[in-house]
Amino acid sequence: MERAMEILRDPKHYMPGKPALDAIRAQIDAYNSERPGIFVHAQHRAWIFLGVFGVAAAIAVVIVLENFRESRAIGLLVAAILIVGYRLWEYAWKPARDHQMALRHRLFPVIFGFLDNFSYSHGHAPAFLDDVRQMKLIRYGSSENDDMISGTHQGLAFDLLETTLVTGSGKRREVVFRGLIFRFNLDWEFPGLIVVAKRGNWLQRYVAEMFRTGAKPILSGNRRLDETHEFHSDNPKAAMPVITGPLTSALIWLGDEWRDGEVRIAIRGRECILLLPSKRDWFALPDIQEDVFYGRDVEPMIREMVVLLAVAHLMHRIGKTS
């Protein structure tokens, strides 16, 4: 496993070859040549829309002030002007956003050419989010989904979702998770459920609900981890060799490599889900005002995917080494 991890940590192993690199640069050059015209067009659209809307809004204000003196009517008008103005601004810039999204759909299959069965989507809620809720990994009300990449790497089938999970709405809206969610179909099967997270948080509040009152955490035998994490399972006997062996190694590695927040892990049957918090946009490209550069914008994206694959393969191999 260590040898495989060393290969995965080396991004040069997966960097595009010359044919793929030429294809990537061709897509980038085509995007950069079209970008200034699309940006100027969207900018002109925005100001024209807002100019026309500004005149209409001014007329509406005059009419309301002449016919309605109630503060409620004026407040409703102001709210309507702000909402409609914002939506018009968003609509005006839609061609620029579409141009950026088209680049992602053209670029990603090429730069992630080392993945089989590759697919990319944006803004969709995958079905496995229900599994996150069922496993009690986190309690949330709704999701705001960004990029999602699916594929297979050396026999490992995975889904990688960049998302924000929230509870409540309006003034009561609260972000409970922002980052990446991994889902794997493992090549081994655990007869039950294992949940791992740091002590002193959500896990202690929900453990009774998951494993019935009185459930005690399983000790990994590693003092460092047992002081900071709790391991729970509805099948402690089967979970013990997984937790005390390879899962402990995986958590130590994750703790060293992933410093953006609390990592949460759940294993159920042939399914493994990891919650990896992050404040970064992992697959970001520059705004429409800027050109895209391979070395600055694309190459780091490949390196980051390699880091994520290292995490995925660690978890994928747990069953083989337990």
Side-chain angles (χ1 to χ4, degrees), residues 61 95 104 133 205 232 247 259 282 295 307:
V61 169
R104 289 169 177 264
R133 186 181 280 114
R205 295 194 298 271
H232 285 274
L247 186 54
R259 302 181 181 276
W282 277 79
V307 172

Coordinates of all heavy atoms in Angstrom, one line a residue, residues 61 95 104 133 205 232 247 259 282 295 307:
V61 N -41.1 54.6 -9.1 CA -41.0 55.3 -7.9 C -41.8 56.6 -7.8 O -42.5 56.9 -6.8 CB -39.5 55.7 -7.6 CG1 -39.4 56.6 -6.4 CG2 -38.7 54.4 -7.3
P95 N -24.2 34.7 -20.8 CA -23.4 34.2 -21.8 C -21.9 34.0 -21.4 O -21.2 33.1 -21.8 CB -23.5 35.3 -22.9 CG -24.8 36.0 -22.7 CD -25.0 35.9 -21.2
R104 N -15.0 24.1 -19.2 CA -14.9 23.0 -18.2 C -15.3 21.7 -18.9 O -14.6 20.7 -18.7 CB -15.8 23.2 -17.0 CG -15.3 24.3 -16.1 CD -16.4 24.7 -15.1 NE -15.9 25.7 -14.1 CZ -15.4 25.4 -12.9 NH1 -15.3 24.2 -12.5 NH2 -15.0 26.4 -12.1
R133 N -27.1 11.4 4.7 CA -28.1 11.6 5.7 C -28.4 10.4 6.5 O -28.5 10.3 7.7 CB -29.4 12.2 5.1 CG -30.4 12.7 6.1 CD -31.6 13.3 5.5 NE -31.4 14.6 5.1 CZ -31.4 15.1 3.8 NH1 -31.6 14.2 2.8 NH2 -31.3 16.3 3.6
R205 N -23.6 13.4 20.1 CA -25.0 13.8 20.2 C -25.9 12.7 19.5 O -27.0 12.5 19.8 CB -25.2 15.1 19.5 CG -24.6 16.3 20.3 CD -25.1 17.6 19.8 NE -24.9 17.9 18.4 CZ -23.8 18.5 18.0 NH1 -22.9 18.8 18.8 NH2 -23.7 18.7 16.7
H232 N -17.3 4.1 16.1 CA -18.5 3.3 16.5 C -19.0 2.4 15.3 O -18.7 2.7 14.2 CB -19.7 4.3 16.8 CG -19.5 5.0 18.1 ND1 -20.0 4.5 19.3 CD2 -19.0 6.2 18.4 CE1 -19.7 5.3 20.2 NE2 -19.1 6.4 19.7
L247 N -7.6 1.2 9.0 CA -8.3 2.4 9.2 C -7.5 3.4 10.1 O -7.6 4.6 9.8 CB -9.7 2.2 9.8 CG -10.7 3.4 9.9 CD1 -10.8 4.1 8.6 CD2 -12.0 3.0 10.5
R259 N -5.7 19.3 6.2 CA -5.6 20.3 7.4 C -6.7 21.3 7.3 O -6.7 22.3 8.1 CB -4.2 21.0 7.4 CG -3.1 20.0 7.5 CD -1.8 20.7 7.5 NE -0.6 19.8 7.6 CZ -0.2 19.2 8.7 NH1 -0.8 19.5 9.9 NH2 0.8 18.3 8.7
W282 N -12.0 23.8 -5.4 CA -11.0 22.9 -5.8 C -10.8 22.9 -7.3 O -9.8 22.6 -7.9 CB -11.3 21.5 -5.3 CG -10.8 21.2 -4.0 CD1 -11.4 21.6 -2.8 CD2 -9.6 20.6 -3.6 NE1 -10.6 21.3 -1.7 CE2 -9.5 20.6 -2.2 CE3 -8.6 19.9 -4.3 CZ2 -8.5 20.1 -1.5 CZ3 -7.5 19.4 -3.6 CH2 -7.5 19.5 -2.2
G295 N -0.1 26.5 -16.7 CA 0.7 26.4 -15.5 C 0.1 26.9 -14.2 O 0.2 26.3 -13.1
V307 N -3.9 14.2 -5.2 CA -4.0 14.1 -3.7 C -5.3 13.5 -3.3 O -5.4 12.6 -2.4 CB -3.9 15.5 -3.1 CG1 -4.2 15.5 -1.6 CG2 -2.5 16.1 -3.4

